[in-house]
């Protein structure tokens, strides 16, 4: 079993983006770069915390694969959240029976922008991704 596989309950770390938006309960599509670049499944955001890396590590370390140094790489350099990173606790992970290759996701308009960042997509695109990934919607 690949140690880096996503679990049903996990944490994702990034720079503080969409910090003023209420994202709790929102669905999230996941992209993985290896072994193939593809959208691999869907989960729901349970919690989102913006804090210093040490605080995030204490709160969410048991849920993810990141070490403290990995979390520190996502710290905002400037702005209201300077010195902080963002952690999203997600749950109810469901893998796509048919992962969507990145080339397909871009080619059919499901994904615009860098896939390893938080991106907003409209609900029609979300439904299309669910269908293309093989999950009944």
């Amino acid at each position: 079993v690949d140690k880096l596989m996503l679990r049903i309950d996990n944490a994702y770390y990034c720079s503080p983006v969409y910090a003023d938006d209420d994202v709790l309960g929102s669905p999230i599509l996941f992209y993985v770069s290896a072994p193939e670049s593809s959208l691999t499944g869907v989960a729901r955001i349970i919690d989102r915390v913006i804090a210093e890396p040490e605080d995030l590590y204490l709160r969410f370390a048991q849920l993810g694969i990141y070490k403290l140094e990995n979390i520190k790489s996502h710290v905002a350099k400037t702005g209201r959240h300077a010195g902080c990173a963002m952690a999203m606790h997600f749950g109810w992970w469901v893998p796509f029976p048919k992962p969507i290759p990145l080339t397909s996701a871009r080619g059919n308009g499901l994904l615009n922008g860098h896939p390893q960042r938080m991106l907003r997509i409209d609900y029609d695109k979300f439904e299309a991704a669910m269908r293309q990934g093989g999950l009944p919607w």
Side-chain angles (χ1 to χ4, degrees), residues 1 5 26 33 46 49-52 55-56 63 73 97 118 126 135-136:
V1 173
M5 292 285 290
S26 297
S33 57
I46 296 170
V49 177
I50 298 171
E52 293 181 0
D55 293 335
L56 296 177
L63 294 175
S73 71
M118 279 186 63
F126 173 77
L135 292 178

Side-chain angles (χ1 to χ4, degrees), residues 64-120:
I65 61 169
Y66 269 29
K67 303 293 183 217
L68 182 56
E69 291 307 311
N70 302 114
I71 299 169
K72 286 181 177 181
S73 71
H74 295 291
V75 166
K77 308 286 188 256
T78 61
R80 183 172 66 152
H81 299 293
C84 295
M86 183 169 81
M88 283 192 302
H89 173 197
F90 64 86
W92 303 300
W93 160 255
V94 179
F96 285 154
K98 300 181 288 185
I100 306 167
L102 181 59
T103 53
S104 295
R106 285 194 166 136
N108 61 24
L110 292 179
L111 183 65
N112 295 315
H114 193 285
Q116 289 182 317
R117 288 189 45 88
M118 279 186 63
L119 302 170
R120 288 183 176 141

